[in-house]
Amino acid sequence: MERLFAPTVSVRHQATVRYCGRDLTYFGGCDYLRLSVHPKLIEAAKKAADFGLGVAASRRTTGNHPAITALERELADFFHAESSVLMATGYGMNLALGQALSGRFTHALIDDRAHVSLQDATRFLGAEVRPFRHRDPNSLEKVYRERPSGARVIVLTDGMFPLEGTVPPLQEYRRRLGADVWWWLDDCHAVGTLGPKGLGSLENVGWSRHQVLQVITLSKALGSFGGALLADGATVEQIWDRSDCFVGGTPPPLPMVAAARASLRLLKRDSDRIRRLQTSVQWVKQQLVNARLIPEASPGPMFLISPNSEAATKRLRRRLLAASIYPSLIHYPGAPEGGAYRFALSSEHSEEEIGRLLAAIIGVASNVKGRGPGSGGRMG
Ligand SMILES: Cc1ncc(COP(=O)(O)O)c(C=O)c1O
């Protein structure tokens, strides 16, 4: 049961949560830029709420509110996409895209650790679904070569994997595959964290949008709520035309739409938060690699620490609580059986807080290169 029902945690302010009667520094969740508590987003949501909470109708009937179409235009502009479409969740957006693409591709090649929503979406494609080994260009190429002639291929992968903050080797993938291949990138964690302007995988690797379908969420780094697709106009039309999920569902609440618009305005003006986050991530990941706690300095703000026994799990929990840090042990698809501690940095964590986390995890002050206190031995 403990695995199904996680403890209740309430956010106090930028980097703190209330847990078991204590205020603890929080490195959980996906609010990587802490925009969900930004005064501008909250003010925008409050103002919008004065005019009603939701449209209470499908976009295809009477629910196509002008604030929603404005957000779609702004998303397309922000991400330099031809078009965009908004839905209530990122999960639903992946499903809706699967429905819209039904029959368009004959073969869907998917990373075998892709997010559950991508895996789920493949059921609608009417294509042969072939998994390839996680982040492995050789495996992808092998599966690709097995296609029959005339196959129409789409590759599905997370643009950033939510547990370790790793990214797929997109350049290498593309180098190995034909130019007619389409790409479906789930960038729910890459938006706001990858690329100088936080535009995600494409900005990070310098790809154009040609034959790329990018699914994002507004509910993580963008601090609001909802899901969206950035794509060519024809694919967006197909969502409106052919996706039961889209046609038969309600768009996100209007205060969240207003907050998302405020979020885009903020990030367009000033990418300081993104830069700060990326600087912290680089530094912290290098410390963790040096301490041999993670295998690579991945670019995402999150990392997993998997203690090798129940006793070690409890020891780390005690150590974290002693350092006033929320022990973010998670049980999630793709995480190790007994659970793992997932930590996520944000742009708003102070050096002191980050140092405290590293000291608690690594436990040896000298490994933390002068940041934060710490004592004791290596975790294990
Ligand atoms: C990789 C990935 N894709 C899609 C989703 C779904 O996004 P949303 O929470 O907006 O439904 C998530 C959410 O955790 C995710 O991690």
Side-chain angles (χ1 to χ4, degrees):
M1 272 310 157
E2 188 193 310
R3 281 165 197 213
L4 284 180
F5 301 113
T8 59
V9 178
S10 57
V11 174
R12 298 285 274 186
H13 68 94
Q14 299 225 338
T16 313
V17 289
R18 189 84 181 155
Y19 174 66
C20 292
R22 289 179 66 193
D23 284 340
L24 300 176
T25 306
Y26 185 55
F27 289 95
C30 310
D31 191 5
Y32 306 121
L33 303 173
R34 291 297 192 265
L35 290 180
S36 81
V37 289
H38 194 289
K40 290 254 190 263
L41 272 72
I42 293 172
E43 187 193 320
K46 278 184 180 164
K47 268 195 192 153
D50 284 344
F51 298 93
L53 297 180
V55 295
S58 158
R59 304 273 304 279
R60 281 277 298 265
T61 59
T62 55
N64 195 24
H65 195 279
I68 295 176
T69 54
L71 173 56
E72 286 174 336
R73 274 194 307 277
E74 287 157 13
L75 281 166
D77 174 57
F78 184 82
F79 288 97
H80 311 300
E82 190 181 314
S83 190
S84 97
V85 55
L86 185 70
M87 280 196 53
T89 66
Y91 200 115
M93 194 69 251
N94 273 326
L95 298 188
L97 182 55
Q99 293 174 344
L101 297 179
S102 173
R104 189 154 139 195
F105 298 98
T106 58
H107 289 72
L109 317 185
I110 182 165
D111 184 294
D112 64 7
R113 282 183 51 197
H115 190 258
V116 280
S117 58
L118 269 185
Q119 311 256 9
D120 223 358
T122 59
R123 295 189 290 138
F124 297 103
L125 286 172
E128 193 178 319
V129 180
R130 303 287 313 274
F132 60 91
R133 267 201 314 274
H134 182 53
R135 297 174 63 220
D136 183 345
N138 293 331
S139 173
L140 173 59
E141 185 177 3
K142 181 167 177 296
V143 176
Y144 177 70
R145 283 180 184 277
E146 287 163 5
R147 77 200 184 287
S149 72
R152 300 185 303 280
V153 176
I154 186 159
V155 175
L156 292 81
T157 178
D158 296 29
M160 177 181 287
F161 293 90
L163 297 178
E164 291 106 342
T166 48
V167 297
L170 291 177
Q171 304 279 42
E172 188 59 18
Y173 283 177
R174 193 173 241 178
R175 207 177 63 74
R176 308 249 192 140
L177 271 47
D180 56 341
V181 167
W182 279 68
W183 302 86
W184 177 345
L185 302 179
D186 178 332
D187 254 3
C188 287
H189 293 268
V191 158
T193 63
L194 271 190
K197 296 195 175 118
L199 306 186
S201 300
L202 303 182
E203 190 188 22
N204 192 42
V205 295
W207 275 15
S208 79
R209 293 197 159 270
H210 183 61
Q211 292 174 192
V212 178
L213 309 170
Q214 184 187 27
V215 169
I216 66 164
T217 182
L218 311 179
S219 314
K220 300 187 190 298
L222 297 182
S224 178
F225 198 83
L229 167 70
L230 289 316
D232 57 286
T235 301
V236 167
E237 263 179 39
Q238 284 182 328
I239 297 277
W240 276 79
D241 193 33
R242 304 181 57 193
S243 164
D244 291 339
C245 248
F246 177 82
V247 173
T250 308
L254 295 173
M256 297 297 106
V257 170
R261 296 181 69 189
S263 173
L264 294 182
R265 277 196 298 277
L266 206 118
L267 292 178
K268 205 169 177 180
R269 245 197 341 266
D270 169 9
S271 44
D272 269 7
R273 282 181 188 239
I274 294 166
R275 218 174 7 258
R276 264 204 314 276
L277 176 65
Q278 291 172 348
T279 306
S280 294
V281 169
Q282 250 182 11
W283 188 83
V284 167
K285 292 282 173 90
Q286 198 49 58
Q287 301 304 310
L288 294 168
V289 169
N290 294 349
R292 300 219 167 98
L293 285 172
I294 59 170
E296 65 180 286
S298 58
M302 59 299 251
F303 55 92
L304 267 196
I305 299 290
S306 316
N308 51 19
S309 66
E310 215 177 308
T313 303
K314 286 187 178 152
R315 203 154 48 240
L316 180 54
R317 179 187 163 85
R318 279 196 301 273
R319 197 175 265 176
L320 290 163
L321 285 171
S324 297
I325 293 169
Y326 174 73
S328 45
L329 185 72
I330 60 157
H331 302 275
Y332 191 74
E337 247 302 287
Y341 289 94
R342 176 187 184 272
F343 300 104
L345 302 170
S346 85
S347 54
E348 305 312 293
H349 282 110
S350 67
E351 285 199 7
E352 186 277 327
E353 287 163 332
I354 292 173
R356 193 148 36 86
L357 174 67
L358 280 176
I361 295 171
I362 298 174
V364 180
S366 58
N367 282 351
V368 189
K369 284 204 184 139
R371 280 210 213 189
S375 61
R378 277 284 296 280
M379 196 190 76

